[in-house]
Amino acid sequence: GWFEEGIEPGWVRAAAAVADVLLKELVDWLVSSPLARAAQTAAPLAALLSRQPIVADRYRELRVGHWEG
């Protein structure tokens, strides 16, 4: 769904761990949806790369109507 909520503290630590791994890779683009949880997930890698993510609406989740949970 498109709920505007952040990530839980445990996932903040997980995002930082993933950023540490991705730092060893060639990163040409860092892209995020505008949702808070996506931005918070991208933030550790952005900080390590000294870059700002490209924020694009087209990377938001799909709306699935009454099937959203």
Side-chain angles (χ1 to χ4, degrees):
W2 286 31
F3 295 112
E4 186 58 46
E5 55 191 36
I7 57 176
E8 299 289 328
W11 291 113
V12 172
R13 289 187 297 278
V18 169
D20 288 339
V21 171
L22 289 176
L23 190 60
K24 299 171 188 162
E25 303 296 328
L26 177 63
V27 178
D28 292 323
W29 299 89
L30 182 57
V31 181
S32 173
S33 88
L35 294 176
R37 65 179 172 267
Q40 288 174 338
T41 301
L45 183 58
L48 290 174
L49 295 172
S50 298
R51 290 193 212 169
Q52 291 297 316
I54 298 166
V55 178
D57 281 333
R58 68 181 179 187
Y59 294 108
R60 289 185 133 203
E61 294 91 344
L62 297 174
R63 288 193 184 261
V64 292
H66 68 277
W67 292 101
E68 289 186 19

